[in-house]
Amino acid sequence: MKHLWGIDLGGTKMEGIILEPAESPVTICRLRIPSGAEKGYEHVTGQIVTLVEMMKTASGLKPERLGMGTPGILDPLTQTMKNCNSVCLNGRPLKADIEKMLGIPVRLANDANCFALAETLYGVVKDECPNARVVFGVIMGTGVGGGIVIDNKVWEGKQGIAGEWGHNQLEENGEPCYCGKNGCVEATFSGPSLEKYYTKISGRKVNLKEITELHVSGGDAFATQTINRLTSMFGKAISTVVNILDPDAIVLGGGVGNIDALYTDGLNELKKSIFNNRVETVLLKPKLGDSAGVFGAAGLWSEQ
Ligand SMILES: [Zn+2]
């Protein structure tokens, strides 16, 4: 049996895991060290090698392959990193460098792709929609991203951007987005965008958790307006994905994905918008929490 080795690389910390593949995989070792991205690229790659050495010592095993979750993506054309918020990685051949340093093949995927894969292989999709062939995993938090899994494998796309629905335009005259366009999905209902909208209509600064609670308690018309706008916009935005991909399941991660109204009102809005008279695609709440990143990284070699 081949063990699965994964590392989830973040800006401040990195986490490594070794899984014994099984119906419910067994965690053999799980370790976390600082990534120190502020100290530069060579420091980060050095820390990755250090973490692998620590995992070897802790487990008595040696990796044959490594999966890595990264903040941005590996550009399929240039084989260098792009769109990383840990900016020291951008423009660097991270995959080739780690392969050279460790002497084993490495696969990379961004956090949304790792999330989608982890929930498919080991999380809510496995438990509640076990025959799913196409899964769309969505992260709706500070930003809005997405990843596509087909037959238990990440579908990266020609340019490495498959699933990036967060920068589809939703409103022509909408809020400006950091990507340079206006009215992107992300600029409309990421966590910070929802909080900004609430402040705009109410004049008050309230965080998303409180907005959601105010809506549920029914005592704040501004909160209800914010959540109703979210479910309506979500239905429209996700319908474009469903019309093209027609997935078996959509997993909604991140702080915004936790809002219950998405699974009721949001689903109804989706029904109104898709090109079909019913919706069989299921909306699921993720199960793995913060562990999705590292489980997804390990899962990148799961079919081997
Ligand atoms: Zn954008």
Side-chain angles (χ1 to χ4, degrees):
M1 190 188 309
K2 296 222 169 103
H3 295 101
L4 300 172
W5 291 58
I7 290 180
D8 182 25
L9 176 59
T12 53
K13 58 184 179 1
M14 61 178 78
E15 191 173 14
I17 202 167
I18 306 172
L19 295 179
E20 190 171 306
E23 176 72 11
S24 293
V26 182
T27 302
I28 292 172
C29 126
R30 189 168 173 177
L31 294 168
R32 185 183 279 192
I33 62 169
S35 43
E38 74 284 355
K39 292 182 193 158
Y41 179 73
E42 279 72 22
H43 180 81
V44 174
T45 52
Q47 285 294 84
I48 293 168
V49 174
T50 301
L51 180 55
V52 169
E53 286 302 322
M54 288 167 66
M55 291 159 74
K56 280 158 77 171
T57 307
S59 66
L61 299 167
K62 265 179 147 177
E64 288 178 29
R65 308 173 180 87
L66 177 69
M68 274 183 51
T70 57
I73 56 167
L74 184 76
D75 188 316
L77 183 67
T78 62
Q79 289 292 304
T80 58
M81 300 301 292
K82 65 180 178 188
N83 303 342
C84 297
N85 52 7
S86 301
V87 290
C88 71
L89 300 175
N90 287 326
R92 299 295 196 128
L94 181 66
K95 175 174 141 72
D97 285 345
I98 299 299
E99 284 182 337
K100 208 188 306 170
M101 291 166 93
L102 295 176
I104 54 173
V106 173
R107 279 184 186 164
L108 303 186
N110 77 355
D111 49 2
N113 288 350
C114 285
F115 165 80
L117 184 62
E119 290 293 345
T120 301
L121 294 176
Y122 311 121
V124 67
V125 179
K126 170 184 154 280
D127 291 345
E128 293 184 31
C129 197
N131 297 318
R133 292 195 58 194
V134 180
V135 176
F136 187 48
V138 165
I139 296 181
M140 299 193 287
T142 316
V144 174
I148 299 167
V149 172
I150 300 176
D151 291 335
N152 293 334
K153 275 170 36 187
V154 170
W155 183 268
E156 289 159 335
K158 176 77 178 162
Q159 295 153 113
I161 58 166
E164 292 291 359
W165 72 309
H167 298 278
N168 287 355
Q169 194 181 49
L170 192 51
E171 289 184 298
E172 207 171 334
N173 299 310
E175 296 289 322
C177 183
Y178 78 90
C179 74
K181 291 179 298 192
N182 283 313
C184 291
V185 170
E186 177 166 319
T188 310
F189 59 72
S190 66
S193 305
L194 291 171
E195 288 168 357
K196 233 162 88 185
Y197 178 79
Y198 181 87
T199 301
K200 199 167 100 183
I201 58 173
S202 71
R204 294 195 300 134
K205 253 187 138 73
V206 175
N207 73 34
L208 181 62
K209 193 163 169 282
E210 291 167 90
I211 296 170
T212 310
E213 285 163 6
L214 286 168
H215 163 66
V216 172
S217 71
D220 184 331
F222 298 118
T224 294
Q225 187 179 328
T226 304
I227 300 300
N228 286 348
R229 177 170 163 278
L230 161 67
T231 53
S232 150
M233 291 295 187
F234 167 79
K236 277 201 192 86
I238 204 81
S239 74
T240 62
V241 177
V242 176
N243 278 347
I244 290 168
L245 200 58
D246 200 357
D248 299 87
I250 300 173
V251 189
L252 304 180
V256 177
N258 211 17
I259 296 174
D260 289 330
L262 290 172
Y263 300 83
T264 51
D265 300 347
L267 182 65
N268 283 330
E269 294 293 332
L270 168 62
K271 273 182 197 155
K272 283 189 216 163
S273 298
I274 65 163
F275 184 59
N276 200 21
N277 57 7
R278 62 183 194 281
V279 178
E280 289 175 47
T281 301
V282 290
L283 301 183
L284 301 171
K285 265 193 189 180
K287 280 195 175 167
L288 298 172
D290 291 341
S291 299
V294 76
F295 275 82
L300 290 169
W301 288 100
S302 66
E303 87 287 1
Q304 296 291 310

